[in-house]
Amino acid sequence: MSLIHALVAKGSTILAEHQAGKRDFSQATQTILSKIPPNNSKLTYVWEQFLFHYISEGGFTYLVMADDSAGRRMPFAFLADLQRKFTSAPSSSSSSSEEVPAYGLQGSFGPTIAALMHTYNTAPPADELSRAQNELNQVKDIMVQNVEQILSRGERIELLVDKTDVMAGQATAFRRGARTVRRQMWWKNKKILALCVLVGLVRILLWILVAQVCGAGLNQCGPSKT
């Protein structure tokens, strides 16, 4: 079984889907649907050993989850066939102009998805695969993204916030340390200046005392002449 889960959605609202496996992939599919841009696009998301392929066109998204071994050729052929069946169905014209609730087309189009998945899982049409291969050869903007990166983005944002808080705390501590060092250097300069002034005053005081004994020119205290 290569194709596991397929759906048709309008925006992020699932209109109809079919799941062949038992595992629940609703969180991954909802995450992908919320990230699909409004413009027409084709994209492949990788999650574990599964690939989520989608075609977004005309406001509708056609998505299929497939095993990694299925590659891209067969899933995109399935999506192209699914898109043609949906656009040609009577329910698609009404859903284009009206607001359809979630799973509003499950009863009318869900069996179509199931039958198409069964066909492609058992005996995919060769002509559809060839046509899809030609289309894929012409499309150069199909990208691959990792669903796990999207799902873990919240955790990464929290880690980034934690790191930002740590850096902010470090910056505050650095500013406090810089102010402390600046004050210490200011007091050190003042002490040196005060010491220089004190030394100068002592020298002046000594000169005054010596001058009172030896005269202003200090010539009266020289060696006596015989």
Side-chain angles (χ1 to χ4, degrees), residues 58-93:
F60 292 96
T61 299
Y62 311 91
L63 184 145
V64 62
M65 188 193 75
D67 191 85
D68 189 15
S69 60
R72 292 192 178 90
R73 178 182 173 184
M74 191 266 282
F76 274 103
F78 167 82
L79 290 176
D81 204 356
L82 178 64
Q83 181 181 12
R84 283 194 301 273
K85 290 183 179 298
F86 181 78
T87 53
S88 61
S91 57
S92 64
S93 58

Side-chain angles (χ1 to χ4, degrees), residues 103-154:
Y103 298 97
L105 303 180
Q106 183 65 30
S108 59
F109 198 72
T112 303
I113 301 177
L116 194 62
M117 285 184 63
H118 177 74
T119 300
Y120 274 81
N121 278 329
T122 55
D127 55 340
E128 294 295 336
L129 293 180
S130 300
R131 190 188 61 78
Q133 181 64 44
N134 294 332
E135 290 183 357
L136 287 178
N137 291 334
Q138 296 175 0
V139 177
K140 302 299 182 181
D141 59 347
I142 296 179
M143 301 173 60
V144 176
Q145 297 185 8
N146 198 314
V147 176
E148 292 180 346
Q149 294 178 355
I150 298 175
L151 296 177
S152 63
R153 185 171 297 172

Side-chain angles (χ1 to χ4, degrees), residues 11-182:
S12 59
T13 303
I14 299 177
L15 303 180
E17 68 176 353
H18 177 72
Q19 182 170 320
K22 297 181 179 180
R23 185 175 175 182
D24 184 16
F25 296 94
S26 57
Q27 182 183 5
T29 54
Q30 285 294 339
T31 300
I32 294 172
L33 289 176
S34 65
K35 300 298 180 181
I36 295 177
N39 56 299
N40 298 343
S41 60
K42 294 183 179 181
L43 193 67
T44 297
Y45 286 92
V46 180
W47 186 60
E48 295 181 354
Q49 73 272 25
F50 306 106
L51 298 178
F52 287 81
H53 313 276
Y54 79 81
I55 296 176
S56 178
E57 187 174 335
F60 292 96
T61 299
Y62 311 91
L63 184 145
V64 62
M65 188 193 75
D67 191 85
D68 189 15
S69 60
R72 292 192 178 90
R73 178 182 173 184
M74 191 266 282
F76 274 103
F78 167 82
L79 290 176
D81 204 356
L82 178 64
Q83 181 181 12
R84 283 194 301 273
K85 290 183 179 298
F86 181 78
T87 53
S88 61
S91 57
S92 64
S93 58
S94 60
S95 61
S96 299
S97 58
E98 301 176 0
E99 287 295 333
V100 181
Y103 298 97
L105 303 180
Q106 183 65 30
S108 59
F109 198 72
T112 303
I113 301 177
L116 194 62
M117 285 184 63
H118 177 74
T119 300
Y120 274 81
N121 278 329
T122 55
D127 55 340
E128 294 295 336
L129 293 180
S130 300
R131 190 188 61 78
Q133 181 64 44
N134 294 332
E135 290 183 357
L136 287 178
N137 291 334
Q138 296 175 0
V139 177
K140 302 299 182 181
D141 59 347
I142 296 179
M143 301 173 60
V144 176
Q145 297 185 8
N146 198 314
V147 176
E148 292 180 346
Q149 294 178 355
I150 298 175
L151 296 177
S152 63
R153 185 171 297 172
E155 179 182 353
R156 295 187 178 184
I157 291 177
E158 292 177 358
L159 293 176
L160 179 61
V161 171
D162 293 341
K163 292 182 180 179
T164 304
D165 293 340
V166 172
M167 294 179 63
Q170 292 177 348
T172 302
F174 176 79
R175 287 194 297 269
R176 292 176 180 174
R179 286 196 297 267
T180 302
V181 173
R182 188 162 56 247

